[in-house]
Amino acid sequence: MSQQYSDDQISAAAAAFAAGDVTYHEGARVTLPPPPETEPMVPLGIRVPPALAQRVRAAADQAGIPYSQLIREWIELGLTDMAGDLTVSVAVLRRAIAHAAQSGHAA
């Protein structure tokens, strides 16, 4: 849990730092934040037509997930299919099946 500081506390700390009144002690014990629960994400920029972006956002809204998560799942499904790998999460498969059924692309 992070501690909230008031504007006055932040201003005082900034002034102390600027005046050189802050001292450091390399031997001081610190508590590090916990490691992230998921692996770091790398931004992947793509350009799509506005109509396609709207369709993706609508599909994500319908699935109840952020559109970036939906796109990651679609990429995972596509790469899994290309590699002939059969390992993919059940949640991803369920969403893909539901989306295909709702969009009329189900066989």
Side-chain angles (χ1 to χ4, degrees):
M1 183 186 326
S2 65
Q3 181 177 352
Q4 297 293 331
Y5 295 100
S6 70
D7 289 343
D8 289 339
Q9 289 173 311
I10 293 171
S11 295
F17 185 80
D21 295 335
V22 177
T23 58
Y24 299 95
H25 186 280
E26 291 183 16
R29 297 183 61 85
V30 296
T31 302
L32 298 175
E37 293 181 13
T38 61
E39 65 182 304
M41 297 289 174
V42 177
L44 181 63
I46 62 169
R47 298 176 65 85
V48 298
L52 180 57
Q54 281 183 320
R55 290 174 56 202
V56 170
R57 287 186 189 272
D61 287 345
Q62 193 169 14
I65 59 175
Y67 76 95
S68 59
Q69 180 181 341
L70 183 63
I71 292 171
R72 281 193 302 273
E73 291 177 1
W74 287 346
I75 291 170
E76 182 182 352
L77 283 169
L79 291 174
T80 299
D81 184 48
M82 287 176 62
D85 185 0
L86 300 178
T87 304
V88 68
S89 75
V90 173
V92 170
L93 288 175
R94 285 184 179 151
R95 270 195 282 281
I97 292 166
H99 177 72
Q102 292 168 354
S103 65
H105 291 98

